[in-house]
Amino acid sequence: MFPSYLFIRGEMEQAYQAEKTRRVVSIIKVSDPRRLSWELRNLALALSGDVTLDPFPGIVQGVRVEVVTGPFMGLQGVVVDRSRMDRVHLQVSMLGGGAALELDASVMKVVD
């Protein structure tokens, strides 16, 4: 559900030790750890059932999106396909043709 995220439960010193490994890009301080724990427990419960969860419900076929991080940051296009939960095919029209680019949905936001 959260690609590239590592959750650490502990004191700040333990988080800094993890950061020192140079395998952690940044630490996001949690302002309400009890709420995060509650939300993660609920998510784990939902994932244990026989259901399909969509981590990016707004990223659907036909919607215009913008890439918000990574090498394609700023690129806008229309979602052509949502065949896998974590991937979209982004159609970028150019000179009457187009190109499909497969990107992780986590790097996109819906453009109004």
Side-chain angles (χ1 to χ4, degrees):
M1 290 294 299
F2 302 100
S4 302
Y5 276 78
L6 170 68
F7 292 90
I8 299 174
R9 175 177 267 163
E11 301 298 320
M12 286 303 291
E13 179 60 33
Q14 292 165 310
Y16 291 130
Q17 290 298 322
E19 189 176 40
K20 283 183 179 180
T21 66
R22 305 190 81 168
R23 294 182 178 174
V24 176
V25 174
S26 65
I27 295 175
I28 301 171
K29 186 174 181 188
V30 176
S31 61
D32 189 349
R34 293 172 82 190
R35 180 176 176 176
L36 177 63
S37 182
W38 178 81
E39 289 176 351
L40 290 174
R41 272 194 311 274
N42 281 303
L43 188 56
L45 181 60
L47 288 169
S48 70
D50 188 22
V51 296
T52 301
L53 298 179
D54 186 353
F56 309 104
I59 309 280
V60 295
Q61 186 172 349
V63 75
R64 180 170 294 282
V65 294
E66 179 177 349
V67 179
V68 295
T69 187
F72 299 108
M73 189 165 102
L75 183 91
Q76 290 189 7
V78 176
V79 176
V80 177
D81 181 31
R82 190 70 201 276
S83 58
R84 291 180 34 200
M85 292 301 291
D86 62 341
R87 298 284 183 198
V88 296
H89 289 92
L90 183 65
Q91 180 71 35
V92 180
S93 297
M94 56 185 166
L95 303 175
L101 178 62
E102 186 174 330
L103 296 171
D104 190 290
S106 67
V107 303
M108 298 178 195
K109 72 172 184 176
V110 175
V111 176
D112 295 327

